[in-house]
Each structure stands twice: as structure tokens, then as C-alpha cells.
């Protein structure tokens, strides 16, 4: 995960796609805890990834990526 986050910080779009794939199911499960509708959960997930990728350079400890 650490290398993947570092590559995302460097702007590697393939790594961003990989990070999305790696984290998708886990984050979607979190979204579904808060909203009953699958479409809404997917929208929340999309918004979460927009925030993640917009703020990826603020991650100071990539080794703690899942916690971030």
C-alpha cells in the first residue's frame, strides 16, 4: 500500500486506478453502513475517492494509508 500511495502522489494514474481497485470493496462497505440505498452508497464512494485523490499529497505517512 505504501508504494502505491507514493506512486499516486507522483501522479501515476495507473497507480490511482489500482488504489481504487484495492480499496473499493472496503470503502463501499463503509458507505453502505450509513445509507441503505446502493446507488447512494456508490455516489458516496465516488465522492470519497475524489477527496482521496485530491488530498493524496497530504498523506505524510503512506505506510499508514488504510488508516488515513
Amino acid at each position: 500500500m505504501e508504494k502505491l500511495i507514493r506512486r499516486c502522489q507522483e501522479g501515476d494514474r495507473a497507480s490511482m486506478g489500482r488504489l481504487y481497485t484495492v480499496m473499493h470493496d472496503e470503502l463501499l462497505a463503509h458507505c453502505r453502513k450509513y445509507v441503505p440505498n446502493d446507488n447512494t452508497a456508490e455516489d458516496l464512494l465516488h465522492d470519497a475517492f475524489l477527496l482521496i485523490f485530491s488530498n493524496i499529497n497530504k498523506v505524510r505517512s503512506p505506510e499508514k494509508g488504510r488508516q488515513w
Side-chain angles (χ1 to χ4, degrees), residues 3 5 7 11 13-14 16-20 23 28 31-32 34-35 44 47 52 63 65 67:
K3 286 182 183 181
I5 291 173
R7 288 182 182 153
R13 295 180 73 70
M16 290 177 187
R18 178 74 179 133
L19 185 66
Y20 181 91
M23 296 185 68
L28 184 58
C31 292
R32 285 182 173 146
Y34 296 100
V35 294
L44 289 175
D47 291 348
I52 288 168
E63 68 276 4
Q67 295 170 358

Side-chain angles (χ1 to χ4, degrees), residues 36-63:
N37 181 292
D38 284 342
N39 289 333
T40 303
E42 288 283 348
D43 287 345
L44 289 175
L45 178 68
H46 176 74
D47 291 348
F49 274 107
L50 287 175
L51 289 171
I52 288 168
F53 292 130
S54 294
N55 293 289
I56 197 83
N57 288 323
K58 294 179 183 178
V59 176
R60 301 287 179 239
S61 301
E63 68 276 4

